[in-house]
Amino acid sequence: MTDIDALRFEAAEYRVRLFLSVDLSGSTAFKNSKDGEARETGATPYWVTVFQRFYSDFPGLFAAEFQRQRNDSVGADTCPELWKAVGDELVFCGRVASKKSCAVALDAFIKTLHQYRKRLSDQGVDLNLKGAGWLAAFPEPNRTVQLRARENSPELLPASEALELSADKEPFQFDFLGKAIDTGFRVASRAQPDKFALSVQLARLLVNSGPDLSFGHQIRLERPSILKGVNKNEPYPFLYIDTMEYLPTQAAKQLEREVLREGEVPNPARLSEYLTAYCKVVGTDEITLKVDSAAADVGVPESYSTHKKYISEHLAGERQTEFDGEGIGDGLAPAEEVYLEDASLSPLEAAHEVPGDT
């Protein structure tokens, strides 16, 4: 029995995953442009080559940058893995056990975005990049779904540690569902090349960490607006990190913000108070993590503790059902054999009697 199999009926431990999205901006126009349609060799348009390079190169560059920044404070956390490609968008996912791990992954991702933007510019490719990030807690209130069963292996049960541990290692084999995931994609839709969009929970985690986190990025706020279906249509704060580096319009954008007095960095303490008040209004739990790998663990949310009891009871029932099913199967096998044997003997006995009677 593998370690995963041994955890099939164990309730999943509380965990937090960081989701990071990068999207090619201006892709539709590029595909339909003269340069995008150019076919220097063979039948492949240039835009296909550019997109293939993006899909293959960006994940490796991100992993290398994460590894460059990684230190003991990150602990055992690894670089978020590619979860899925959604059209021109790549979405990465990784479990984070500390604020430091979250900050390192986010900073590495933003640096990779900037460097890849520079690469496109140096190559004369008329495309840009925009990004977003959000957090989601599992197995409550969000859930993991296994997309395909492992060959010759039993099903990984919902909310089990076996399922969640497998998803930590290979997120591309699973789907993630829930309010935080839906909200995250809505937040990502508001991203702009100069503004890396953040969910409220991610921004709150970072802004509450103070200078000790050494994050290196300032979180800015624009007027809230409605995100369809999110928080009962209560206007959602537009929180973002400045990502103007290597933008061809960088100088003009900076002057524009100064003239219009937009994009000023809010006081972190006041921003924290505002986000706390907002979450109280919409009923969003705060996601808490320890500062770094050396710090003591923080408590899990009350909502998780409450649901863990029911998850454990459900999985215990699944274990019993599976055990009973195996027992019934084992008990029936001999009986079926006897029944079949008896059934096959009766006609033979009758066959011997018929000739004797005639």
Side-chain angles (χ1 to χ4, degrees), residues 6-280:
L7 297 171
R8 287 183 63 234
F9 301 104
E10 296 295 324
E13 295 301 322
Y14 178 78
R15 69 227 312 126
V16 175
R17 293 190 176 105
L18 171 66
F19 292 83
L20 297 167
S21 161
V22 59
D23 195 358
L24 284 172
S25 177
S27 59
T28 301
F30 180 70
K31 291 173 187 175
N32 290 282
S33 68
K34 182 178 179 181
D35 289 342
E37 284 286 355
R39 301 166 190 257
E40 296 180 359
T41 58
T44 304
Y46 182 51
W47 72 263
V48 175
T49 302
V50 170
F51 278 57
Q52 286 177 331
R53 288 174 183 165
F54 171 63
Y55 294 148
S56 61
D57 292 353
F58 191 95
L61 293 171
F62 173 39
E65 180 60 31
F66 178 89
Q67 194 62 32
R68 190 186 69 79
Q69 294 194 34
R70 187 177 183 180
N71 53 45
D72 291 342
S73 65
V74 172
D77 287 351
T78 58
C79 182
E81 298 271 355
L82 180 62
W83 170 35
K84 64 168 65 178
V86 186
D88 308 328
E89 179 184 13
L90 298 179
V91 186
F92 296 77
C93 169
R95 182 178 180 179
V96 286
S98 68
K99 294 180 180 181
K100 188 64 178 179
S101 177
C102 184
V104 168
L106 183 53
D107 183 61
F109 196 78
I110 290 174
K111 280 185 167 60
T112 305
L113 184 152
H114 284 152
Q115 290 302 317
Y116 205 88
R117 174 185 289 161
K118 183 178 185 301
R119 174 190 286 193
L120 291 174
S121 177
D122 291 345
Q123 293 173 348
V125 178
D126 191 16
L127 283 171
N128 216 316
L129 296 175
K130 57 184 178 180
W134 66 92
L135 294 173
F138 297 84
E140 289 289 343
N142 305 284
R143 285 300 180 96
T144 301
V145 178
Q146 187 178 18
L147 295 178
R148 56 190 67 84
R150 299 174 297 167
E151 187 175 357
N152 300 322
S153 297
E155 175 190 3
L156 298 178
L157 300 174
S160 68
E161 182 62 19
L163 177 75
E164 295 295 348
L165 191 60
S166 298
D168 289 341
K169 297 175 180 177
E170 297 180 318
F172 47 86
Q173 299 284 2
F174 299 83
D175 204 358
F176 303 106
L177 309 174
K179 178 181 175 181
I181 307 301
D182 294 343
T183 299
F185 279 109
R186 294 288 190 193
V187 168
S189 70
R190 300 169 72 179
Q192 301 170 26
D194 62 324
K195 296 172 182 176
F196 188 98
L198 303 173
S199 71
V200 167
Q201 288 177 316
L202 178 54
R204 190 178 180 189
L205 180 88
L206 295 170
V207 79
N208 285 344
S209 301
D212 293 340
L213 192 62
S214 302
F215 180 44
H217 298 278
Q218 296 171 315
I219 297 175
R220 303 166 191 262
L221 170 69
E222 286 190 0
R223 187 171 297 278
S225 60
I226 293 174
L227 292 181
K228 186 178 179 181
V230 175
N231 293 339
K232 298 180 180 179
N233 290 330
E234 181 72 25
Y236 194 95
F238 182 27
L239 298 143
Y240 68 93
I241 291 171
D242 197 334
T243 50
M244 285 199 288
E245 197 167 329
Y246 299 118
L247 273 180
T249 58
Q250 181 176 357
K253 282 281 186 183
Q254 288 174 331
L255 289 169
E256 177 185 285
R257 288 186 187 179
E258 290 178 17
V259 171
L260 297 176
R261 300 182 65 84
E262 294 179 345
E264 294 183 356
V265 180
N267 177 278
R270 296 295 287 171
L271 178 59
S272 176
E273 290 177 15
Y274 163 65
L275 295 178
T276 299
Y278 176 83
C279 288
K280 186 175 181 180

Side-chain angles (χ1 to χ4, degrees), residues 284-304:
T284 300
D285 284 343
E286 180 180 11
I287 290 181
T288 57
L289 293 172
K290 60 184 181 180
V291 176
D292 56 32
S293 62
D297 289 332
V298 297
V300 299
E302 183 179 347
S303 58
Y304 165 75

Side-chain angles (χ1 to χ4, degrees), residues 336-351:
E336 289 176 354
E337 290 174 6
V338 171
Y339 172 78
L340 291 172
E341 187 177 8
D342 290 343
S344 64
L345 285 174
S346 296
L348 288 174
E349 292 171 354

